Amino acid sequence: MSLECELKYLNPDLDAVRAALGNLGAEPLGRCFEENLVLDDQARSLKKRGLLLRLRRAGGVSTLTIKQPARRDAACKVCAEHETVVSAFAETLAGLEALGFVPAFVYEKLRETWRLSGCSICLDSLPFGDFVEIEGPEDALRSCATALGLDGGLTSRETYHALNMAWRRARGLPEDENFVFVEPERSRLLAEVEASAGQPIKN
């Protein structure tokens, strides 16, 4: 188990953050296209308890994650996380379904990851907007954000699921927990990630 401490910035200038990372000598860890399944039982009992069960496929690696409810008494979002790599996405999903946990919703994300001052900086593009997540030791998050010019930016402790639902409500769109890229954008992003595999991120 690990404690995940996170700051999430809304609507950042990703090009500016990328340039700042390059100027600071941050280590680029690459881009990947994520496919995420959030699972629950028919009664949505995990959601009611504030738990998240997620199966993710990204960069040829499948990961099973369980997140416990976030602490609300901290300066950033802090939650306990259990995570492990699984060898077979389809077989893991079949096993979870046999236990009564079925996909509740699906979401996709293009993520570009950097490492700076002990923190992981994720530049995320989702179907409803761009975001920056900084994860690491709680006392290092703010200084890292300052170095990247993010001070004063709009932040949130909400999950991407909650932000998607709020985005849809603000635009009068029907409720839909899923947020996935549509064609031809999805194919373009997948081709872009494949083309850049093994190549340094430009800043």
Side-chain angles (χ1 to χ4, degrees):
M1 182 185 74
S2 63
L3 280 179
E4 179 188 77
C5 304
E6 171 193 299
L7 286 174
K8 184 185 274 114
Y9 288 84
L10 314 185
N11 305 312
D13 182 337
L14 294 187
D15 287 336
V17 175
R18 186 179 296 111
L21 286 163
N23 292 335
L24 291 165
E27 178 188 4
L29 302 179
R31 295 186 182 95
C32 65
F33 187 90
E34 291 185 3
E35 302 170 86
N36 298 272
L37 292 180
V38 173
L39 300 107
D40 209 334
D41 58 23
Q42 294 295 339
R44 300 298 292 270
S45 60
L46 296 182
K47 180 181 179 182
K48 292 172 184 175
R49 293 164 57 196
L51 295 168
L52 174 78
L53 175 61
R54 181 184 66 208
L55 184 59
R56 168 178 289 167
R57 179 163 46 195
V61 177
S62 298
T63 308
L64 182 66
T65 303
I66 300 169
K67 289 189 178 186
Q68 296 177 231
R71 276 174 40 200
R72 294 293 177 179
D73 59 337
C76 57
K77 179 181 175 182
V78 181
C79 61
E81 179 179 270
H82 307 267
E83 189 166 85
T84 186
V85 172
V86 296
S87 60
F89 184 94
E91 279 302 307
T92 301
L93 176 58
L96 291 168
E97 289 178 329
L99 293 172
F101 298 110
V102 297
F105 63 91
V106 181
Y107 70 95
E108 295 176 337
K109 176 172 56 184
L110 180 66
R111 167 162 282 188
E112 176 182 325
T113 307
W114 296 70
R115 173 68 64 176
L116 176 68
S117 302
C119 293
S120 176
I121 296 92
C122 301
L123 282 59
D124 290 341
S125 295
L126 284 80
F128 59 92
D130 293 334
F131 305 85
V132 169
E133 282 191 354
I134 305 176
E135 299 177 4
E138 193 169 348
D139 57 358
L141 296 183
R142 290 292 179 187
S143 60
C144 191
T146 298
L148 295 174
L150 291 168
D151 278 354
L154 185 62
T155 64
S156 177
R157 295 187 184 185
E158 297 295 343
T159 64
Y160 281 136
H161 171 263
L163 291 172
N164 168 61
M165 296 296 282
W167 182 86
R168 296 187 68 85
R169 285 193 297 270
R171 287 155 181 77
L173 298 173
E175 282 204 4
D176 187 351
E177 293 187 273
N178 303 285
F179 44 104
V180 296
F181 293 99
V182 297
E183 296 296 350
E185 177 72 356
R186 188 177 193 274
S187 292
R188 183 190 69 78
L189 292 173
L190 285 168
E192 178 183 306
V193 170
E194 184 177 349
S196 66
Q199 300 298 317
I201 295 172
K202 296 179 180 179
N203 54 68

